[in-house]
Amino acid sequence: MSSAAEARFRIQTPNPTSRVVKVISLDTASHHEIATLVDEVPTADLVVMVASAGADAHAAAIIGEACSLKHVMTTTLVIHAASATDEALSKTLAQVRPWSLMVVIASDEAYVEEILRSFR
Amino acid sequence: MLRKEQNDLLTQTGPETPMGRLFRSYWVPALLPEELPQNECPPVRVKLLSERLIAFRDTNGRYGLMDEFCAHRGISLWFGRNEECGLRCPYHGWKYDVTGQCVDMPSEPEDSGFAKKVKLKSYPLIERGGVLWTYMGPADSQPPVPEWEFATVPAAQSFTSKRLQESNWLQAMEGGIDSSHVSFLHRGDLNSDPLFKGARGNQYNLSDARPVFEVVESSGGLYIGARRNAENGHYYWRITQWVMPSFTMIAPRGDHSIHGHFWIPIDDENCWTWSFDYHPTRALTDAEVAAMRAGKGIHAKVIPGTFRAVANKDNDYLIDRAAQKAGRTYSGVEGFAMQDSSLQESMGPIVDRTKETLVSTDSGIILARQRLLRAVKAFVETGATPPGVDTVHQRVRSAAVVLPPDQPFKDGAREAMIAHPGVAPASV
């Protein structure tokens, strides 16, 4: 049943894609944006936080706590890692790790778009 | 998910396809030496990257890998006579040496010189570390010989097997970097398989069934870290290496051997699953090798005389529903290798990635695809050497370590993830 010939008989109806993914940049988010996201957490299926290695990511705790209370999955994408020092990356990781169920450490931000596209 | 054109690009590896050209930048495993056990032994049919080839070992022990078919009338040289430093077509006697050069053409006048003008396409075939490797790219771009650690340790420290997998290479490889499936599919085997049991790290695995994952770019591909809670607020990390295009190395357990895979396309609907086990500092024991030959660990029991698993899709992988219900195996299929392969083959020969519903624990797979797409684009457009060709990218290890909570594993396990000859692996 796993042959190429049998594959023709698979149901072609697209899978449902109605999930809600919220994305926030921890580098630039204002207090208002963070508060808004926290309010929206109950309706989200996934919250994606984006942080530059070495940048202040303290907002991860606020968002992560809201997600934890509502059992919402969290992913953090740490970008610009290639140009950051180990200390700078370590500082950001210390802030995001307790609140992230998945962490991706990438060299550049072009990966963010591709990862988000894959979650659609 | 991938768009259809992206899926096609990554899964098609025939000659002149972009991914096929990328694969042809590397030395890839082609055969086990035992397939050509002695000089003038029977030739072996080989299909790699959608090319049908014939492998043979000549009178002087030289290995040859060339077009399967005689240049004269297209006869398969599998029927050939391996004699006097060449493979002779039994139809009209044309004979080829290990480079594919026709060296004898009895049907032509003896001094016509025509034989010198006939040469079959051929590829180098070298033995290194218990594997016969070939390079199928342009001769002027041939890279240095492989430096993967399992292929450089003394023979007694390493064991390699291969198995037919009836699926495209990419879905097989993606299974190797999909760390989140281990807590489900393989949960029944950690404490029973002789090549895994007894390690302290197993207890971390079993006591924390919800690992947190970190994916980090490496120069050759990716590090995929699975983090579980350990004592005193520390984290137990299992770090898998993925090196482009299709090498993976799984984190070790205790003093067991380290293991990993290559997935090499046969054609677009089949691949070879190569599985290696080695220990950097000691010989494998007789019991370990016996277990590997019996299909334990990451190896599979194959039908004698073939490389097809005994448990295969024609017998529903010998699924045992009672074992599934009782929890002895999670899926009902026995053994790590066929637990993976049964599910990957069930996707169909080439899975339709436009229909996936990926979640965040699939980020390693997503990033690997994007790195492959980038490497193909750079290679095709600018000729950039893809990651994994440089032997520095090959001298890597997986690792299992316990680290403080704020330490990046890339930093804390930096030395552990490099293959230092004679140095024990970082393992828990």
Side-chain angles (χ1 to χ4, degrees), chain A residues 55-109:
Chain A
D56 180 11
H58 77 279
I62 302 166
I63 298 163
E65 188 162 15
C67 292
S68 180
L69 283 170
K70 296 296 179 183
H71 306 290
V72 173
M73 183 77 184
T74 52
T75 291
T76 300
L77 310 179
V78 180
I79 56 176
H80 304 142
S83 55
T85 63
D86 287 342
E87 291 74 24
L89 177 59
S90 185
K91 177 186 150 204
T92 305
L93 286 176
Q95 290 179 310
V96 304
R97 269 181 175 161
W99 308 106
S100 308
L101 296 172
M102 179 83 209
V103 177
V104 176
I105 303 171
S107 58
D108 70 66
E109 57 193 79

Side-chain angles (χ1 to χ4, degrees), chain A residues 2 4 10-11 15 19 73 75 86 90 97 100-108 110-111 114 118-119, chain B residues 212-217 227 237 313 345-347 349 355 358-360 363 366 370 374 405-407 414:
Chain A
S2 58
R10 291 193 174 195
I11 292 171
N15 291 329
R19 65 179 146 178
M73 183 77 184
T75 291
D86 287 342
S90 185
R97 269 181 175 161
S100 308
L101 296 172
M102 179 83 209
V103 177
V104 176
I105 303 171
S107 58
D108 70 66
Y111 285 119
E114 296 298 341
S118 295
F119 290 156
Chain B
V212 175
F213 297 99
E214 277 187 30
V215 181
V216 185
E217 281 184 87
R227 187 185 92 202
W237 286 98
K313 70 179 184 182
E345 291 181 0
S346 78
M347 296 168 163
K355 291 191 70 180
L358 298 182
V359 293
S360 45
S363 294
I366 296 167
Q370 293 306 318
R374 284 183 178 204
D406 62 343
Q407 192 167 25
R414 190 185 305 277

Side-chain angles (χ1 to χ4, degrees), chain B residues 1-275:
Chain B
M1 59 174 284
L2 285 178
R3 296 189 297 276
K4 181 180 184 306
E5 63 272 20
Q6 292 176 314
N7 199 35
D8 290 347
L9 189 143
L10 291 181
T11 55
Q12 296 173 1
T13 58
E16 303 309 321
T17 62
M19 196 66 205
R21 289 177 58 198
L22 184 118
F23 255 102
R24 286 166 173 81
S25 301
Y26 302 87
W27 285 97
V28 295
L31 299 109
L32 289 165
E34 69 203 43
E35 295 180 73
L36 295 171
Q38 59 204 37
N39 299 351
E40 294 189 354
C41 62
V44 176
R45 296 186 189 97
V46 178
K47 192 177 184 190
L48 284 176
L49 303 176
S50 299
E51 293 186 45
R52 285 182 62 172
L53 306 163
I54 195 84
F56 71 108
R57 179 171 164 176
D58 78 2
T59 312
N60 294 330
R62 296 179 302 172
Y63 292 110
L65 182 66
M66 62 190 186
D67 187 345
E68 181 187 335
F69 302 98
C70 179
H72 180 206
R73 297 284 308 284
I75 305 305
S76 171
L77 291 168
W78 181 79
F79 292 97
R81 299 169 58 87
N82 188 356
E83 60 188 18
E84 296 170 338
C85 293
L87 191 60
R88 189 182 294 281
C89 178
Y91 211 6
H92 303 91
W94 291 25
K95 182 173 153 186
Y96 303 90
D97 70 12
V98 292
T99 71
Q101 178 66 53
C102 185
V103 294
D104 192 17
M105 201 177 275
S107 57
E108 293 291 304
E110 199 166 315
D111 54 355
S112 76
F114 182 54
K116 290 179 185 168
K117 298 179 180 177
V118 176
K119 190 171 191 290
L120 295 175
K121 179 72 180 169
S122 70
Y123 302 111
L125 187 66
I126 61 168
E127 196 280 335
R128 187 159 174 79
V131 174
L132 298 181
W133 304 78
T134 189
Y135 166 74
M136 296 171 67
D140 58 0
S141 302
Q142 182 174 310
V145 297
E147 288 286 336
W148 308 102
E149 190 177 32
F150 80 92
T152 61
V153 297
Q157 294 174 212
S158 183
F159 177 86
T160 304
S161 67
K162 78 173 195 183
R163 167 177 61 79
L164 172 67
Q165 174 143 350
E166 296 173 70
S167 79
N168 182 265
W169 77 277
L170 186 60
Q171 64 209 56
M173 186 280 283
E174 288 176 348
I177 56 175
D178 172 13
S179 296
S180 69
H181 81 279
V182 178
S183 297
F184 298 93
L185 183 61
H186 304 312
R187 66 167 56 172
D189 299 77
L190 280 183
N191 277 341
S192 59
D193 191 291
L195 299 173
F196 293 91
K197 68 181 183 183
R200 182 162 64 94
N202 294 355
Q203 298 315 309
Y204 296 129
N205 269 82
L206 296 171
S207 62
D208 185 354
R210 302 184 71 84
V212 175
F213 297 99
E214 277 187 30
V215 181
V216 185
E217 281 184 87
S218 67
S219 51
L222 294 175
Y223 307 122
I224 296 124
R227 187 185 92 202
R228 291 178 172 83
N229 293 321
E231 301 85 357
N232 305 319
H234 281 44
Y235 290 140
Y236 167 63
W237 286 98
R238 294 185 56 73
I239 306 163
T240 296
Q241 291 267 6
W242 170 64
V243 181
M244 281 197 222
S246 65
F247 171 89
T248 62
M249 190 186 278
I250 306 156
R253 293 185 183 278
D255 191 44
H256 291 301
S257 48
I258 315 177
H259 40 252
H261 299 284
F262 282 96
W263 285 278
I264 304 299
I266 296 172
D267 52 33
D268 293 343
E269 298 186 354
N270 299 276
C271 66
W272 290 119
T273 298
W274 286 84
S275 305

Side-chain angles (χ1 to χ4, degrees), chain B residues 300-317:
Chain B
K301 191 171 184 180
V302 295
I303 298 168
T306 77
F307 293 103
R308 193 173 197 225
V310 170
N312 58 58
K313 70 179 184 182
D314 291 340
N315 55 30
D316 283 330
Y317 307 93

